[in-house]
Amino acid sequence: MHAFIQAVILGILTGGVYALMASGQTLIFGIMKVVNLAQGALVVLGAYLTYTLFTQLGIDPFLSILITTPLLFLVGVAVQWALLRPLHGDDVAQLSLLVTFAIALGIEGVLSFAYSATLTNVQPSYANFSWTVLGYQVSLVRFVAFVLSLVMLGALYFILQRTKFGRSVRATVQNPMSAQLLGVNANRVSALGFGLGAATAAAAGSVFGMLNSFNPGSHYDLISRLLTIVVLGGLGSIGGSVVAALVMGVASSVVSALASPIWSDFTFFIVLLLVLLIRPRGLFGARTRGAL
Amino acid sequence: MHLHIRRPGSRRARLLAAAATIAVGAVALAGCSSGSTVSSSSSPLKIGISLSLTGDFSDSGKAAQRGYDLWADVTNKAGGVLGRQVKLTIVDDASSPDQVVTNYTNLITQNKVDLVFGPYSSLLTVPASRVASRYHYAFIEPAGGGPSVFAQKLTNLFFVQPAPTTKGGDVFANYILSLPASQRPKTAGYAKLDDPFSAPIAESIQKRFEAAGIKTVYDQTYPAETADMTPIMSGMAAANPDVVIGGSQEADSFAQIKAMIQLKFNPKWLFESNGVNSPGDFPAAVGIANTEGAFSSADWYADSTIAGSTKFIADYTAKYGGTAQKIDPTSAEAYSAGLLLSQVAKKTGKIDNATIIKTLHTGTWPTLVGNLSWDQYGAPQGAYLLIQWINGKLTTVFPASTAQHAPVAPKPHWAG
């Protein structure tokens, strides 16, 4: 029982970090119908930025989020403006797959050139610290990361629900044509939306860099996890991706600890398959557009 | 002992390889002869090497290149091999097993090199050594020690490390079983990375421990894509073994240790087959204070007391800068491949492939990675050194004949 509860705690905390990454992914899909294969690479880019700020300037990895988030926001806006905006027509979804995959490979290439393929990680003094709560170990970094994810997700929710920009995003998601007719600047919404998605990757990247050793090729594993989370949660649903990330975190952790790590990812895919058989749109994918 | 698992991601390399294969075919049709003729004694000694200068293995490939280049420099300054200047031809295989075949075929048939040295990783050594064997070239290779290499039963191959990779942990078992029964661990836990190099190292230790009555209380194999080791190590912590054996590569060994620190689980003995033996990366990954007492095995490392190591470090830092601690063991292994060649030349007065193959099959050969001798298929017959982090430094602790310090057990508690 002790091992089970410990595994559930770990799973929830890990799931929170994936929730942050996946929320950006699903936001971008919701607004633009773009499956962003570069989200994992953006997370790794965020991790390397944090690493550089920490090792070169001594900036705390959590504080560096204040720098990396706006930076990657700008990168996201620039990428959308330069590479995704020019795509037109019915095949935008397919073309964007290729474009975002190219972006991922480009980021990986630049990072390999700048940092080499050696594994690295961000190691502040408190990286391995944990609290003992009722006999269970709670890692400081994981806990702060979880809280941070909640804060970031809260901020995202606020932006989408309470601001004019958020309203135009939701309008675009529900019906792009009507939104444009009502004066919403679709290009602007898309660029800012992509920027927001990239910004969540920056925040997640800082945490990812403290929790894992990473190299420029780490994004392949990440993106496959993110895509399964987003599909399980229902494409375009931020709430869904949060729930799915927690389900994945807990399922992987419990199976890993109590059965075998070999089965941990497989278990998640079984859950994904079952959910898709019963609900082809994922847990929270709405039948009508506009699940945000 | 650095071996890496191949990750997906060399599509471009495969395209290049296909193009290059066609090019080679065309040239071969034009009517070239092949063979391992050795040039006259005043001409330079041409040695061909394919290395992973780009792609997945590029870091280690470049480390091997530095070792080979340094040996050639040092040798040429001392007058060359039998009076002949060494000229290395190093070509890039982009970490691709297809390209490596093309490269060695080209080096032997087109560039007509006198000798060849091996590439990086078992994955590339297997196809490369077949090419060398076909042309009756000696294949001295510093970085292919997996079971697949020796399963080929090639008699021209010599692996320049103390033992096959899967026997990397045997020295730890030797140490534990050398203790009086009352001081030995009673229980053991194993966390094994599911790849051909890592899990077998732990299994080899496990077999001997179980035969000696050390009970297995936790045994888990994890796939290569496992990023988070915490759930596995929480299972390990619940089983609470006296000794933890990690059959690991670098990233996962760091992750195992970070997880143990966070779970506040401190075994009395901890052995990791890789990662912990990296003088720079390990303290950077877990913090120097947490390295204390961790065991691993190695052939060469910065504080190695082996003859020639000091000169190697001085030459290396003079040529490439940096510190001794930053030298990748792969550089010392590649350098040792060259040392073997120099010794054969000195002993026999000849430096052709048949002589090298025949000569290396007898006797023991001192190198930076120990005194080497091989079985008929090139598997080295020695053992790695047992090393332990003591006072923030990698220290040889076993066998006693080469030990700088007695092994420290039980392991001090994590610094957190």
Side-chain angles (χ1 to χ4, degrees):
Chain A
M1 193 61 198
H2 185 278
F4 175 77
I5 293 174
Q6 179 73 63
V8 170
I9 294 172
L10 283 168
I12 290 174
L13 296 182
T14 309
V17 181
Y18 281 107
L20 188 53
M21 299 180 199
S23 62
Q25 174 96 340
T26 211
L27 177 71
I28 289 170
F29 180 84
I31 298 172
M32 284 174 284
K33 301 292 164 278
V34 164
V35 176
N36 178 20
L37 295 181
Q39 186 75 358
L42 289 168
V43 171
V44 176
L45 176 62
Y48 270 108
L49 285 175
T50 305
Y51 172 78
T52 305
L53 289 170
F54 177 67
T55 51
Q56 302 297 318
L57 304 174
I59 298 175
D60 180 88
F62 282 118
L63 279 182
S64 71
I65 290 175
L66 296 175
I67 303 170
T68 57
T69 308
L71 218 59
L72 275 201
F73 175 80
L74 292 179
V75 169
V77 171
V79 161
Q80 201 283 332
W81 185 81
L83 300 172
L84 291 171
R85 193 180 50 113
L87 304 179
H88 285 295
D90 295 337
D91 46 0
V92 167
Q94 288 99 315
L95 285 176
S96 65
L97 273 179
L98 288 176
V99 171
T100 53
F101 188 54
I103 295 167
L105 292 183
I107 293 174
E108 183 190 351
V110 171
L111 290 176
S112 300
F113 185 73
Y115 295 95
S116 87
T118 311
L119 287 157
T120 186
N121 71 4
V122 185
Q123 184 75 21
S125 55
Y126 52 79
N128 297 316
F129 182 81
S130 59
W131 291 290
T132 308
V133 183
L134 302 174
Y136 300 101
Q137 304 304 325
V138 180
S139 142
L140 179 144
V141 171
R142 278 170 208 266
F143 182 75
V144 176
F146 182 77
V147 173
L148 187 83
S149 298
L150 293 184
V151 170
M152 294 288 288
L153 288 169
L156 203 59
Y157 181 84
F158 177 82
I159 290 173
L160 291 175
Q161 298 296 331
R162 295 272 184 271
T163 66
K164 187 157 177 262
F165 164 70
R167 210 161 36 227
S168 29
V169 169
R170 283 184 290 134
T172 309
V173 170
Q174 280 189 358
N175 193 330
M177 189 67 83
S178 313
Q180 283 192 51
L181 288 172
L182 290 167
V184 171
N185 183 341
N187 277 337
R188 194 166 150 268
V189 166
S190 295
L192 294 179
F194 204 95
L196 269 185
T200 62
S206 297
V207 177
F208 179 75
M210 281 188 275
L211 292 178
N212 299 289
S213 291
F214 58 93
N215 74 2
S218 300
H219 71 99
Y220 293 107
D221 280 346
L222 266 180
I223 192 66
S224 62
R225 276 163 205 273
L226 293 185
L227 287 176
T228 44
I229 290 173
V230 166
V231 172
L232 178 62
L235 280 161
S237 161
I238 289 183
S241 71
V242 173
V243 173
L246 293 176
V247 168
M248 189 202 78
V250 173
S252 298
S253 175
V254 168
V255 174
S256 232
L258 302 185
S260 159
I262 306 250
W263 295 105
S264 77
D265 285 349
F266 184 67
T267 315
F268 178 69
F269 281 106
I270 296 273
V271 174
L272 176 67
L273 207 67
L274 289 177
V275 169
L276 291 184
L277 277 175
I278 299 161
R279 280 185 66 89
R281 287 163 189 275
L283 288 174
F284 295 89
R287 201 159 282 279
T288 52
R289 302 173 105 199
L292 276 174
Chain B
M1 192 178 55
H2 272 239
L3 283 159
H4 295 278
I5 315 147
R6 191 173 158 71
R7 290 177 296 275
S10 59
R11 293 153 293 274
R12 196 183 39 187
R14 242 168 253 150
L15 267 181
L16 274 175
T21 311
I22 293 166
V24 173
V27 178
L29 280 177
C32 300
S33 63
S34 62
S36 57
T37 46
V38 175
S39 322
S40 69
S41 60
S42 58
S43 59
L45 181 68
K46 290 194 284 182
I47 302 177
I49 312 162
S50 172
L51 285 175
S52 307
L53 303 178
T54 54
D56 293 345
F57 307 148
S58 57
D59 286 356
S60 301
K62 286 175 191 159
Q65 183 183 28
R66 290 193 292 274
Y68 284 135
D69 278 340
L70 183 66
W71 169 76
D73 274 15
V74 170
T75 306
N76 286 339
K77 268 184 208 150
V81 176
L82 299 177
R84 294 167 68 184
Q85 289 288 297
V86 174
K87 187 171 171 284
L88 299 184
T89 306
I90 296 179
V91 285
D92 179 17
D93 53 47
S95 313
S96 148
D98 300 327
Q99 184 63 34
V100 85
V101 169
T102 309
N103 285 356
Y104 278 102
T105 309
N106 271 345
L107 287 166
I108 293 172
T109 63
Q110 307 301 309
N111 300 23
K112 300 202 185 320
V113 295
D114 299 315
L115 308 167
V116 292
F117 282 150
Y120 185 82
S121 84
S122 293
L123 184 77
L124 303 194
T125 295
V126 169
S129 58
R130 282 191 203 137
V131 174
S133 170
R134 195 179 312 138
Y135 292 101
H136 307 294
Y137 271 59
F139 203 68
I140 301 175
E141 52 94 1
S148 56
V149 173
F150 308 114
Q152 305 179 95
K153 303 191 171 176
L154 299 178
T155 51
N156 65 323
L157 182 142
F158 303 92
F159 176 46
V160 192
Q161 285 187 30
T165 309
T166 51
K167 294 191 178 293
D170 286 20
V171 67
F172 181 70
N174 294 345
Y175 151 63
I176 290 291
L177 300 180
S178 76
L179 297 172
S182 61
Q183 290 174 29
R184 286 182 201 164
K186 304 283 176 283
T187 52
Y190 304 86
K192 307 166 184 164
L193 169 63
D194 190 13
D195 86 17
F197 309 109
S198 311
I201 297 180
E203 280 156 9
S204 182
I205 299 175
Q206 185 173 7
K207 216 190 245 167
R208 296 184 56 196
F209 275 11
E210 285 177 352
I214 300 173
K215 212 175 129 200
T216 300
V217 292
Y218 187 80
D219 181 7
Q220 204 58 273
T221 305
Y222 52 87
E225 61 272 16
T226 309
D228 190 357
M229 287 288 159
T230 323
I232 300 166
M233 297 324 276
S234 74
M236 177 79 85
N240 194 22
D242 290 336
V243 52
V244 169
I245 308 289
S248 53
Q249 291 287 337
E250 194 164 295
D252 51 320
S253 77
F254 298 162
Q256 283 183 22
I257 291 174
K258 282 168 76 95
M260 280 189 264
I261 302 168
Q262 288 171 19
L263 293 163
K264 300 198 170 88
F265 167 58
N266 187 53
K268 293 194 186 98
W269 288 268
L270 167 65
F271 176 87
E272 293 282 343
S273 62
N274 272 301
V276 166
N277 53 13
S278 171
D281 295 348
F282 180 48
V286 303
I288 186 80
N290 286 316
T291 61
E292 211 54 25
F295 286 98
S296 188
S297 63
D299 52 3
W300 181 89
Y301 63 101
D303 293 314
S304 164
T305 51
I306 212 153
S309 184
T310 319
K311 179 170 166 14
F312 165 74
I313 292 171
D315 290 341
Y316 184 100
T317 45
K319 185 172 165 72
Y320 301 111
T323 61
Q325 297 289 337
K326 293 273 176 201
I327 302 175
D328 189 319
T330 304
S331 297
E333 288 150 5
Y335 187 94
S336 295
L339 286 181
L340 289 173
L341 209 61
S342 308
Q343 291 178 68
V344 171
K346 202 170 161 195
K347 186 171 178 185
T348 63
K350 288 190 283 187
I351 195 67
D352 60 281
N353 283 294
T355 305
I356 296 169
I357 295 171
K358 187 163 158 266
T359 313
L360 286 181
H361 273 302
T362 54
T364 303
W365 302 83
T367 66
L368 290 182
V369 296
N371 295 331
L372 302 182
S373 62
W374 298 267
D375 74 359
Q376 56 180 325
Y377 303 130
Q381 300 298 292
Y384 288 89
L385 301 173
L386 182 65
I387 54 174
Q388 188 179 22
W389 284 85
I390 299 174
N391 298 326
K393 260 172 87 173
L394 275 177
T395 313
T396 309
V397 292
F398 196 85
S401 55
T402 50
Q404 297 163 288
H405 197 291
V408 174
K411 189 182 109 44
H413 211 279
W414 302 114

